[in-house]
Amino acid sequence: MIGLVLEGGGARGAYQIGAYRAIQEIGIEIRGIAGTSVGALNGAMIAQGDAELAYQLWWDITPDRVFKLDSAGMKHINSLGLRRESLPRLLQRLREIFHERGLDVTPLKELITEVVKEKVIRQAGLDFGLVAVSLHDLRPLELFLEDIPQGMLADYLMASASFPGFKVDPVEGRRMIDGGLHDNLPVKLLVDKGYQEIIILRTHGPGRYRRVRQKGLHLTYISPSDHLGGILEFSPERARTNLRMGYYDAFKTLHQLKGFRFYIYPWDNDYFLDCFLSLDEEMVRDLGRLMGFKGRSYRRMLFEQILPRYCDLLGINQQSDYEEIGLRLLEEIAGRCGVERFKIYHLEEFLNLLRASYRDLSKSEKIFDLVSTKRGWPRNLREKIMDQTADYWYRYLVGTKGKYVTSPRPMEFK
């Protein structure tokens, strides 16, 4: 018995529907669904068997399908920088923008009424739960279908998704707001129903999270491999990217693919360790001088100083294995070559594509004197340094492996 939990996250919800398409294709049968806010809305569409309709709705989403708002007001909303830590500032800004009237979400209410088929959901035989919060006493409401009166599911779905600042209508005489203020990731709802195998679709939306600890519980998290945009960024361009990302991230998690931003079938060899061992002294000492390292054997410099420093540069743990470091370096090269991201590759196919599309990105500009080994890598230098050293790594990870050739536009050092 497998359950599905969908996190709240506003416009980021497109990611979940993309992920669910992959879950369907893999053939996983879901028997219970719990969601908060947009997760509850997506969960309702999944429960009624309309995941493809949900996919199309997200594909064509525009702000006017959600808000009744002029373009100037929408611009204000999109500029707020919606993060969990900035929630108090956001609420103040919303009050200022809408003069205490609240944001009109009549189009969203109409959309929910149009597409949600309560009778179908109740007849589907699935466990379906959602979270909302009573505004009067800030009391959480953790509800399953059997707790919701007949004919009122759409109202409770809208209540669960009523972000603070939205105009909300009372439900059964009570005003309600977004369930994310109580539990934005309602794993507990399904655990209390007896589910121990649960797939969780993350959006990293703002809200509270309640830990669940129970013996025998197996949680599989499908999380975004890249930023999903703002929670009120209801644009077709963003939604389409997030749909694709959700689909491929789900396949990566469930089929244990390799990669960070790309998707590569696993392989059983020491390819990257062999690549690092093939680096010759000239290249290692060039990189060492760039980073301010000197005075030890070049192999020790590579494994004890240079590669850990690249972990900092790439934003990964210094305890990452050589496969992780090599893949991240490959992905940096692939991104600079314009390689299609949303596709599943075999490693050799990925390498061949890089060989076909690679161009030398190194530049003859002095950056050595700007790098401080004490303060780490300044953020504004990250891309510059990766451009500067991409050709070095290409030659060993992709191209003329083990045969270091000085770049025609070499790095210059002070």
Side-chain angles (χ1 to χ4, degrees):
M1 193 165 72
I2 301 175
L4 182 69
V5 171
L6 300 97
E7 182 177 9
R12 300 175 187 176
Y15 178 85
Q16 298 172 338
I17 295 299
Y20 183 72
R21 174 177 278 190
I23 291 170
Q24 277 187 305
E25 291 184 12
I26 291 170
I28 298 173
E29 184 180 1
I30 301 297
R31 297 302 306 162
I33 300 170
T36 298
S37 193
V38 74
L41 300 181
N42 284 333
M45 297 296 289
I46 292 169
Q48 70 187 37
D50 273 335
E52 285 305 308
L53 173 59
Y55 195 99
Q56 193 60 50
L57 289 171
W58 279 110
W59 187 266
D60 294 327
I61 197 71
T62 55
D64 59 9
R65 298 297 303 274
V66 181
F67 309 112
K68 191 174 182 180
L69 189 66
D70 60 30
S71 59
M74 196 66 242
K75 186 176 180 180
H76 276 295
I77 287 294
N78 284 331
S79 69
L80 289 177
L82 303 178
R83 297 179 298 275
R84 192 183 314 168
E85 61 272 19
S86 63
L87 188 58
R89 182 177 62 86
L90 166 63
L91 297 180
Q92 178 60 34
R93 288 287 302 277
L94 285 171
R95 283 193 291 269
E96 292 170 359
I97 291 170
F98 299 105
H99 307 293
E100 305 293 343
R101 293 174 296 159
L103 179 59
D104 190 339
V105 288
T106 299
L108 177 59
K109 296 177 187 176
E110 293 173 347
L111 181 62
I112 292 172
T113 301
E114 175 188 344
V115 301
V116 171
K117 302 170 184 174
E118 180 175 344
K119 184 177 179 181
V120 174
I121 295 174
R122 290 186 183 275
Q123 292 176 345
L126 303 176
D127 293 313
F128 177 73
L130 57 83
V131 181
V133 174
S134 170
L135 187 58
H136 173 68
D137 52 7
L138 294 181
R139 184 170 66 87
L141 301 173
E142 299 178 327
L143 307 171
F144 278 91
L145 278 176
E146 56 267 31
D147 305 314
I148 298 172
Q150 291 280 344
M152 300 203 68
L153 177 59
D155 297 301
Y156 276 92
L157 288 170
M158 187 65 225
S160 180
S162 292
F163 190 77
F166 289 3
K167 285 183 179 179
V168 292
D169 295 326
V171 179
E172 296 190 282
R174 295 180 293 185
R175 290 192 175 274
M176 300 184 192
I177 53 175
D178 197 294
L181 295 180
H182 169 66
D183 190 354
N184 208 36
L185 200 64
V187 176
K188 185 176 182 296
L189 266 71
L190 291 187
V191 172
D192 288 348
K193 279 282 188 180
Y195 287 82
Q196 291 191 307
E197 186 83 18
I198 300 174
I199 297 172
I200 301 170
L201 304 184
R202 297 299 311 270
T203 64
H204 301 300
R208 297 184 66 185
Y209 301 90
R210 300 187 176 274
R211 292 178 180 268
V212 178
R213 292 185 176 91
Q214 181 169 308
K215 189 175 180 179
L217 187 61
H218 182 254
L219 306 179
T220 299
Y221 291 87
I222 297 174
S223 298
S225 55
D226 207 348
H227 185 52
L228 296 178
I231 64 171
L232 297 180
E233 192 179 344
F234 290 97
S235 71
E237 296 79 16
R238 170 60 71 178
R240 291 171 187 181
T241 296
N242 291 347
L243 285 165
R244 295 189 190 101
M245 194 191 312
Y247 178 84
Y248 282 96
D249 284 355
F251 263 110
K252 178 162 63 179
T253 299
L254 298 172
H255 280 327
Q256 298 183 317
L257 303 180
K258 301 288 187 178
F260 295 83
R261 296 185 73 253
F262 288 81
Y263 310 89
I264 304 172
Y265 286 113
W267 61 91
D268 185 21
N269 59 44
D270 293 322
Y271 178 83
F272 289 105
L273 177 58
D274 291 342
C275 286
F276 290 133
L277 288 172
S278 74
L279 267 64
D280 69 12
E281 184 171 357
E282 182 183 357
M283 175 185 172
V284 173
R285 295 210 178 277
D286 273 359
L287 290 171
R289 283 193 295 273
L290 173 65
M291 298 178 182
F293 302 138
K294 59 182 179 180
R296 61 173 59 202
S297 77
Y298 80 95
R299 282 279 172 80
R300 286 189 63 188
M301 182 188 298
L302 174 65
F303 289 104
E304 296 177 11
Q305 294 179 311
I306 293 175
L307 291 181
R309 184 55 62 87
Y310 267 95
C311 288
D312 292 339
L313 180 64
L314 296 166
I316 59 176
N317 193 299
Q318 285 200 6
Q319 303 306 312
S320 298
D321 61 30
Y322 300 123
E323 180 180 86
E324 290 178 297
I325 299 170
L327 267 177
R328 281 300 295 265
L329 288 166
L330 271 189
E331 290 189 355
E332 290 287 336
I333 295 168
R336 285 160 170 75
C337 293
V339 172
E340 169 60 40
R341 178 185 175 193
F342 294 121
K343 180 179 177 181
I344 301 176
Y345 298 96
H346 291 278
L347 179 60
E348 189 57 38
E349 176 190 10
F350 194 61
L351 295 173
N352 285 336
L353 193 56
L354 290 178
R355 292 181 186 114
S357 59
Y358 183 74
R359 60 187 180 86
D360 181 9
L361 294 170
S362 60
K363 298 177 181 178
S364 298
E365 55 182 303
K366 295 182 180 180
I367 59 174
F368 173 65
D369 58 325
L370 299 177
V371 178
S372 167
T373 58
K374 293 181 181 179
R375 291 185 292 107
W377 294 95
R379 286 187 179 183
N380 63 336
L381 282 180
R382 181 188 184 281
E383 295 302 316
K384 184 184 292 186
I385 293 170
M386 284 309 306
D387 283 350
Q388 188 83 4
T389 60
D391 192 55
Y392 283 67
W393 292 114
Y394 170 80
R395 293 172 185 277
Y396 279 86
L397 299 179
V398 182
T400 55
K401 177 180 141 186
K403 299 177 181 178
Y404 175 55
V405 180
T406 304
S407 168
R409 289 180 288 168
M411 292 186 292
E412 293 185 3
F413 304 100
K414 185 175 179 181

